[in-house]
């Protein structure tokens, strides 16, 4: 079988707390690991999407509405649906690793780093589809 869930691939979470949210695959484990003996991936996604912006809004209001709330999670392959989109993620790979999930303090620091990267990418106008809600 062809392996198509690779790092950089954008997917949609189907089950759980973040169902319907878009994620980007940071690292994939096709064969599983000792503690998780099934195919899974470390993903970083958008929990709260940025709000709509008009031309008439001021600079302060625009920055407030451009906030992104990220999340990181280990997800089973059965619970994500890959899309045709991709995302360059060299900086995200540095922020998230398998050891990030050991302590809550490491998790929060990596979330802050991802938040900064996502907001930077959103304000630059790249990957517009990734930062919009699904239409359902």
């Amino acid at each position: 079988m062809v392996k198509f869930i690779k790092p950089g691939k954008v997917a949609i979470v189907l089950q759980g707390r973040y169902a319907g949210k878009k994620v980007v695959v940071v690292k994939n484990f096709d064969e599983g690991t000792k503690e998780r003996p099934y195919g899974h991936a470390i993903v970083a996604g958008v929990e709260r999407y940025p709000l709509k912006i008009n031309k008439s809004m001021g600079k302060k209001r625009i920055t407030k509405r451009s906030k992104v709330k990220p999340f990181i999670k280990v997800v089973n392959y059965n619970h994500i649906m890959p899309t045709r989109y991709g995302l360059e993620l060299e900086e995200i790979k540095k922020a998230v690793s398998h050891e990030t999930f050991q302590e809550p303090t490491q998790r929060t620091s990596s979330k802050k780093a991802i938040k900064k990267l996502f907001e930077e990418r959103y304000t630059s106008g790249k990957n517009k589809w990734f930062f919009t809600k699904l239409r359902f």
Side-chain angles (χ1 to χ4, degrees), residues 7-110:
K9 188 72 146 170
V10 175
I12 297 169
V13 179
L14 301 174
Q15 297 286 320
R17 179 180 180 181
Y18 303 111
K21 304 292 182 183
K22 295 174 190 164
V23 295
V24 60
V25 177
V26 178
K27 189 165 184 181
N28 61 328
F29 300 93
D30 292 327
E31 304 302 319
T33 58
K34 196 173 185 180
E35 55 270 356
R36 294 176 195 266
Y38 49 85
H40 62 278
I42 297 174
V43 296
V46 182
E47 187 177 340
R48 193 179 317 129
Y49 295 98
L51 299 169
K52 203 170 194 175
I53 296 170
N54 297 333
K55 286 183 181 178
S56 63
M57 291 181 184
K59 206 171 191 179
K60 187 178 178 184
R61 194 166 188 193
I62 288 173
T63 54
K64 201 168 191 178
R65 293 174 74 91
S66 298
K67 298 273 187 242
V68 176
K69 186 177 182 187
F71 68 91
I72 53 172
K73 194 167 175 63
V74 178
V75 183
N76 189 333
Y77 277 172
N78 296 334
H79 303 305
I80 57 174
M81 181 178 67
T83 63
R84 64 182 180 170
Y85 296 98
L87 198 77
E88 304 87 39
L89 72 152
E90 293 304 315
E91 301 89 18
I92 298 172
K93 272 188 180 178
K94 295 171 189 168
V96 180
S97 65
H98 205 60
E99 290 78 39
T100 306
F101 298 95
Q102 305 299 331
E103 283 186 41
T105 54
Q106 290 177 326
R107 198 176 204 146
T108 54
S109 63
S110 62

